[in-house]
Amino acid sequence: MSGLRLDLGPAREPLGLVRGLQWFFSIFAFGTCGGYSGTVSFWVSCWGQPNTTVSAPVAYPFRLNYATFTPSLANMCNKTWEADVHLVGDFSSAAQFFVTVAVLAFLYSMAALAIYLGYFHLYRGAGGKLPLADFLATVSFSFLWLVSSSAWAKALADVKASTAAPLPSCDRPAVACFPAGVTPMGSLNVSVIFGFLNLVLWLGGSWFVYKETNFHRPAPPSGPAPPAAM
Protein backbone atom coordinates (compact mmCIF):
# COMPACT_ATOMS: atom_id res chain seq x y z
CA MET A 1 0.00 0.00 0.00
CA SER A 2 1.44 3.37 -1.00
CA GLY A 3 -0.77 5.79 1.02
CA LEU A 4 0.02 7.86 4.06
CA ARG A 5 0.86 5.84 7.18
CA LEU A 6 1.54 8.13 10.10
CA ASP A 7 4.20 6.54 12.31
CA LEU A 8 6.07 8.44 15.02
CA GLY A 9 8.53 5.60 15.45
CA PRO A 10 11.25 7.13 13.19
CA ALA A 11 11.18 10.30 15.32
CA ARG A 12 12.46 8.24 18.25
CA GLU A 13 15.24 6.70 16.18
CA PRO A 14 18.56 8.48 15.52
CA LEU A 15 17.61 8.94 11.85
CA GLY A 16 14.55 11.04 12.65
CA LEU A 17 15.94 12.64 15.80
CA VAL A 18 18.98 14.05 14.02
CA ARG A 19 16.78 15.31 11.17
CA GLY A 20 14.70 17.15 13.73
CA LEU A 21 17.81 18.75 15.24
CA GLN A 22 18.98 19.78 11.77
CA TRP A 23 15.63 21.42 11.09
CA PHE A 24 15.68 23.22 14.45
CA PHE A 25 19.23 24.57 14.33
CA SER A 26 19.03 25.65 10.69
CA ILE A 27 16.33 28.12 11.79
CA PHE A 28 18.75 29.73 14.24
CA ALA A 29 21.51 29.81 11.63
CA PHE A 30 19.62 31.92 9.08
CA GLY A 31 17.70 33.83 11.75
CA THR A 32 20.75 35.12 13.62
CA CYS A 33 22.52 36.14 10.41
CA GLY A 34 19.68 37.39 8.24
CA GLY A 35 17.93 39.19 11.10
CA TYR A 36 20.85 41.38 12.17
CA SER A 37 20.53 45.16 11.95
CA GLY A 38 22.72 47.76 13.61
CA THR A 39 24.73 50.94 13.19
CA VAL A 40 28.27 52.28 13.50
CA SER A 41 28.55 55.81 14.88
CA PHE A 42 31.17 58.55 15.29
CA TRP A 43 31.31 61.90 17.04
CA VAL A 44 32.59 64.54 14.65
CA SER A 45 33.92 67.79 16.08
CA CYS A 46 34.67 70.70 13.76
CA TRP A 47 36.86 73.60 14.87
CA GLY A 48 34.96 75.63 17.45
CA GLN A 49 31.67 73.72 16.98
CA PRO A 50 29.86 71.17 19.20
CA ASN A 51 30.09 67.47 18.50
CA THR A 52 27.78 65.95 15.90
CA THR A 53 26.90 62.26 15.85
CA VAL A 54 26.96 60.59 12.44
CA SER A 55 25.83 57.00 11.89
CA ALA A 56 25.86 54.40 9.10
CA PRO A 57 23.62 51.31 8.97
CA VAL A 58 25.11 47.82 9.24
CA ALA A 59 22.64 45.09 8.30
CA TYR A 60 22.17 41.92 6.26
CA PRO A 61 23.29 41.36 3.50
CA PHE A 62 26.24 43.58 4.57
CA ARG A 63 26.83 45.66 1.46
CA LEU A 64 28.76 48.13 3.58
CA ASN A 65 30.03 50.08 0.57
CA TYR A 66 26.44 51.29 0.13
CA ALA A 67 26.10 52.37 3.79
CA THR A 68 26.36 56.18 4.00
CA PHE A 69 26.92 58.20 7.15
CA THR A 70 24.04 60.49 8.08
CA PRO A 71 23.78 63.39 8.48
CA SER A 72 25.92 63.87 5.39
CA LEU A 73 29.57 64.55 6.12
CA ALA A 74 29.77 66.46 2.83
CA ASN A 75 27.94 69.34 4.52
CA MET A 76 30.11 69.47 7.61
CA CYS A 77 33.38 71.05 8.72
CA ASN A 78 33.79 73.52 5.86
CA LYS A 79 33.56 70.82 3.17
CA THR A 80 36.35 68.70 4.65
CA TRP A 81 34.71 65.75 2.91
CA GLU A 82 33.93 66.44 -0.73
CA ALA A 83 31.27 63.72 -0.94
CA ASP A 84 29.29 61.35 1.24
CA VAL A 85 31.42 58.88 3.20
CA HIS A 86 30.63 55.16 2.95
CA LEU A 87 31.77 52.17 4.91
CA VAL A 88 34.21 49.83 3.15
CA GLY A 89 33.54 46.38 1.75
CA ASP A 90 30.81 44.24 0.20
CA PHE A 91 30.31 40.99 2.13
CA SER A 92 26.91 40.11 0.72
CA SER A 93 28.05 37.05 -1.25
CA ALA A 94 29.25 35.16 1.83
CA ALA A 95 26.28 36.26 3.96
CA GLN A 96 23.68 35.37 1.33
CA PHE A 97 25.36 32.05 0.57
CA PHE A 98 25.27 31.15 4.27
CA VAL A 99 21.60 32.12 4.65
CA THR A 100 20.64 30.32 1.42
CA VAL A 101 22.28 27.08 2.60
CA ALA A 102 20.52 27.41 5.97
CA VAL A 103 17.10 27.96 4.35
CA LEU A 104 17.56 25.06 1.93
CA ALA A 105 18.72 22.82 4.77
CA PHE A 106 15.63 23.83 6.75
CA LEU A 107 13.33 22.96 3.85
CA TYR A 108 15.08 19.68 3.06
CA SER A 109 15.15 18.45 6.66
CA MET A 110 11.45 19.34 7.03
CA ALA A 111 10.58 17.40 3.86
CA ALA A 112 12.72 14.44 4.97
CA LEU A 113 10.97 14.39 8.35
CA ALA A 114 7.59 14.36 6.63
CA ILE A 115 8.66 11.33 4.56
CA TYR A 116 10.04 9.52 7.62
CA LEU A 117 6.85 10.05 9.63
CA GLY A 118 4.31 9.49 6.88
CA TYR A 119 5.90 7.36 4.21
CA PHE A 120 8.64 5.39 5.95
CA HIS A 121 7.27 2.15 4.49
CA LEU A 122 7.91 3.55 1.01
CA TYR A 123 11.29 4.95 2.06
CA ARG A 124 12.53 1.50 3.07
CA GLY A 125 10.65 -0.31 0.34
CA ALA A 126 11.92 1.61 -2.68
CA GLY A 127 14.73 -0.78 -3.44
CA GLY A 128 17.28 1.45 -1.73
CA LYS A 129 16.80 4.37 -4.13
CA LEU A 130 15.29 6.83 -1.65
CA PRO A 131 17.85 6.14 1.11
CA LEU A 132 20.66 6.51 -1.42
CA ALA A 133 19.29 9.85 -2.66
CA ASP A 134 18.82 10.93 0.95
CA PHE A 135 22.42 9.97 1.74
CA LEU A 136 23.83 11.88 -1.23
CA ALA A 137 21.80 14.96 -0.32
CA THR A 138 22.95 14.78 3.31
CA VAL A 139 26.60 14.54 2.31
CA SER A 140 26.13 17.46 -0.11
CA PHE A 141 24.62 19.62 2.63
CA SER A 142 27.52 18.72 4.92
CA PHE A 143 29.92 20.08 2.32
CA LEU A 144 27.79 23.19 1.80
CA TRP A 145 27.69 23.87 5.54
CA LEU A 146 31.49 23.59 5.68
CA VAL A 147 32.04 26.01 2.80
CA SER A 148 29.35 28.52 3.73
CA SER A 149 30.22 28.61 7.44
CA SER A 150 33.91 29.09 6.71
CA ALA A 151 33.20 31.83 4.18
CA TRP A 152 30.80 33.61 6.53
CA ALA A 153 33.25 33.40 9.46
CA LYS A 154 35.90 35.11 7.32
CA ALA A 155 33.42 37.71 6.07
CA LEU A 156 32.26 38.46 9.62
CA ALA A 157 35.85 39.15 10.66
CA ASP A 158 36.10 41.59 7.74
CA VAL A 159 32.79 43.24 8.71
CA LYS A 160 34.14 43.84 12.20
CA ALA A 161 37.36 45.28 10.80
CA SER A 162 35.43 47.59 8.47
CA THR A 163 33.15 48.92 11.21
CA ALA A 164 36.11 49.46 13.52
CA ALA A 165 38.06 51.53 10.94
CA PRO A 166 38.40 55.30 11.65
CA LEU A 167 36.73 57.95 9.54
CA PRO A 168 38.93 59.32 6.75
CA SER A 169 40.14 62.95 6.58
CA CYS A 170 39.93 63.55 10.31
CA ASP A 171 42.89 65.89 10.68
CA ARG A 172 43.22 67.58 14.05
CA PRO A 173 42.82 70.25 15.23
CA ALA A 174 40.47 71.35 12.41
CA VAL A 175 38.46 68.10 12.52
CA ALA A 176 38.35 65.48 15.26
CA CYS A 177 36.50 62.17 15.03
CA PHE A 178 35.82 59.82 17.93
CA PRO A 179 34.20 56.34 17.78
CA ALA A 180 30.75 56.46 19.36
CA GLY A 181 30.06 52.74 19.21
CA VAL A 182 28.95 49.83 17.06
CA THR A 183 25.82 47.77 17.65
CA PRO A 184 26.97 44.51 19.31
CA MET A 185 27.46 41.66 16.86
CA GLY A 186 26.86 38.84 19.30
CA SER A 187 24.08 37.35 17.17
CA LEU A 188 26.44 37.23 14.19
CA ASN A 189 29.01 35.37 16.28
CA VAL A 190 26.25 32.96 17.25
CA SER A 191 25.33 32.46 13.59
CA VAL A 192 28.86 31.22 12.88
CA ILE A 193 28.63 28.83 15.84
CA PHE A 194 25.30 27.51 14.55
CA GLY A 195 26.83 27.11 11.10
CA PHE A 196 29.54 24.78 12.33
CA LEU A 197 27.10 23.04 14.69
CA ASN A 198 24.94 22.28 11.66
CA LEU A 199 28.03 20.94 9.90
CA VAL A 200 28.53 18.45 12.76
CA LEU A 201 24.84 17.49 12.73
CA TRP A 202 24.75 16.86 8.99
CA LEU A 203 28.01 14.91 9.07
CA GLY A 204 26.67 12.78 11.91
CA GLY A 205 23.32 12.41 10.20
CA SER A 206 24.96 11.10 7.06
CA TRP A 207 26.02 7.99 8.99
CA PHE A 208 22.47 7.19 10.08
CA VAL A 209 21.19 7.71 6.53
CA TYR A 210 24.01 5.55 5.20
CA LYS A 211 22.80 2.71 7.43
CA GLU A 212 19.49 2.77 5.52
CA THR A 213 21.17 2.25 2.15
CA ASN A 214 21.93 -1.07 0.49
CA PHE A 215 25.64 -0.44 1.03
CA HIS A 216 25.24 -1.05 4.76
CA ARG A 217 22.61 -3.77 4.80
CA PRO A 218 23.96 -7.30 4.90
CA ALA A 219 23.55 -9.35 1.76
CA PRO A 220 20.60 -11.79 1.87
CA PRO A 221 21.63 -15.35 2.79
CA SER A 222 22.24 -17.61 -0.15
CA GLY A 223 19.95 -20.58 -0.64
CA PRO A 224 21.07 -24.20 -0.26
CA ALA A 225 23.33 -25.51 -2.96
CA PRO A 226 21.57 -27.69 -5.57
CA PRO A 227 22.29 -31.44 -5.29
CA ALA A 228 25.07 -32.72 -7.46
CA ALA A 229 23.99 -34.49 -10.63
CA MET A 230 24.49 -38.24 -10.64
Side-chain angles (χ1 to χ4, degrees), residues 52-202:
T52 300
T53 301
V54 296
S55 302
V58 179
Y60 177 84
F62 305 101
R63 293 188 178 95
L64 301 189
N65 54 330
Y66 288 94
T68 305
F69 283 95
T70 56
S72 175
L73 290 169
N75 301 323
M76 298 174 58
C77 299
N78 250 355
K79 303 292 184 179
T80 297
W81 296 273
E82 296 181 355
D84 289 333
V85 177
H86 301 257
L87 293 174
V88 178
D90 182 353
F91 311 102
S92 59
S93 57
Q96 290 176 323
F97 180 38
F98 179 81
V99 169
T100 299
V101 170
V103 171
L104 291 177
F106 164 78
L107 295 175
Y108 182 82
S109 55
M110 183 169 59
L113 271 176
I115 292 175
Y116 296 164
L117 300 180
Y119 301 91
F120 204 53
H121 58 291
L122 294 179
Y123 182 84
R124 281 185 168 169
K129 293 181 180 179
L130 285 179
L132 179 59
D134 194 16
F135 173 70
L136 294 176
T138 304
V139 172
S140 299
F141 270 109
S142 301
F143 175 74
L144 289 174
W145 275 117
L146 172 63
V147 176
S148 63
S149 298
S150 301
W152 171 231
K154 174 61 171 61
L156 178 56
D158 293 337
V159 168
K160 293 179 179 179
S162 178
T163 55
L167 279 177
S169 304
C170 291
D171 302 320
R172 296 187 182 186
V175 181
C177 306
F178 307 95
V182 180
T183 302
M185 298 185 181
S187 65
L188 297 181
N189 296 330
V190 172
S191 70
V192 173
I193 295 174
F194 277 123
F196 286 106
L197 176 60
N198 275 287
L199 167 63
V200 174
L201 285 173
W202 284 82

Side-chain angles (χ1 to χ4, degrees), residues 15 41 92 125-126 216:
L15 178 68
S41 302
S92 59
H216 183 266

